[in-house]
Amino acid sequence: MVIYSVECTFSNPAEEKAWNDFYSLEKLPALISVTGFHTSQRFKALTQNCPTYLALHTITGSDILSSMSYRENGGGNFARWQRFIKDWHRNVYEGLDVAPNVDAKSYLLLSSSGPEALQKLNTIPHEIRATALDKNPELRWLSVASKLDFSDLIGRLPEDVHLYEPMGEQLSK
């Protein structure tokens, strides 16, 4: 199993709610129906200097992303939104077998400069390495932390630590 990540910023505030409804209510359930997809969850960044949206999926392998099932049931389907999607990145990461399930009382933290910043925040970083698609950043560290522990740190995190809140529950098969 590998982690498939998709990151982007949506540039049209007037259409953003409709896009988020489409992505969360239509696209994620369609993706989780694809053979080889096991979990899917969306996040919104609370920090600057990173794409606003992040989706993490647990998939069997990167070959799933070229399958007919993926193309027909969730891959793509962005024609209406494409012109508003900016700073788009896709990666397949090895290092964790399953994407973390981040509940409503927790945050997801990501860093690409090393585990030290996450360790200083008293979290347990997990290293993941990009093996397919953009392969950038090649290395990342992620951790999950309680919102109670980080509510006062949102504006004071190290520059390379990006904080995300879940936009809904993790979908799984």
Side-chain angles (χ1 to χ4, degrees):
M1 303 269 244
V2 295
I3 308 300
Y4 171 46
S5 74
V6 181
E7 300 171 79
C8 71
T9 296
F10 195 80
S11 67
N12 183 346
E15 292 284 327
E16 198 159 5
K17 183 185 180 323
W19 180 73
N20 279 322
D21 288 347
F22 159 76
Y23 205 116
S24 294
L25 302 175
E26 294 179 38
K27 185 169 181 62
L28 284 189
L31 285 173
I32 203 70
S33 76
V34 173
T35 300
F37 270 73
H38 299 278
T39 69
S40 290
Q41 189 170 18
R42 286 187 77 211
F43 302 90
K44 186 170 184 178
L46 298 176
T47 50
Q48 304 296 312
N49 303 320
C50 63
T52 305
Y53 296 102
L54 167 70
L56 293 179
H57 313 278
T58 304
I59 61 175
T60 305
S62 59
D63 58 321
I64 300 303
L65 304 175
S66 60
S67 72
M68 184 64 73
S69 178
Y70 173 71
R71 286 193 302 275
E72 291 176 350
N73 296 305
N77 296 332
F78 278 104
R80 175 179 171 194
W81 317 106
Q82 194 67 46
R83 63 189 164 151
F84 306 122
I85 296 171
K86 309 295 181 205
D87 202 13
W88 186 58
H89 310 280
R90 297 184 323 144
N91 285 292
V92 174
Y93 290 101
E94 292 181 351
L96 280 177
D97 287 335
V98 178
N101 181 4
V102 183
D103 65 30
K105 296 178 183 178
S106 301
Y107 290 127
L108 175 72
L109 292 93
L110 284 176
S111 173
S112 58
S113 65
E116 297 80 15
L118 297 176
Q119 290 167 334
K120 286 179 184 176
L121 294 168
N122 294 319
T123 66
I124 301 170
H126 300 279
E127 181 180 306
I128 55 177
R129 177 180 299 277
T131 59
L133 301 176
D134 294 346
K135 296 184 186 177
N136 187 23
E138 181 182 357
L139 287 175
R140 273 188 153 164
W141 290 264
L142 60 82
S143 61
V144 176
S146 165
K147 284 186 177 180
L148 293 175
D149 297 336
F150 282 84
S151 60
D152 63 332
L153 292 176
I154 289 176
R156 300 182 293 125
L157 291 169
E159 187 176 314
D160 183 52
V161 174
H162 302 297
L163 185 68
Y164 295 87
E165 66 179 347
M167 294 180 69
E169 295 180 6
Q170 184 182 66
L171 302 180
S172 63
K173 287 187 182 177

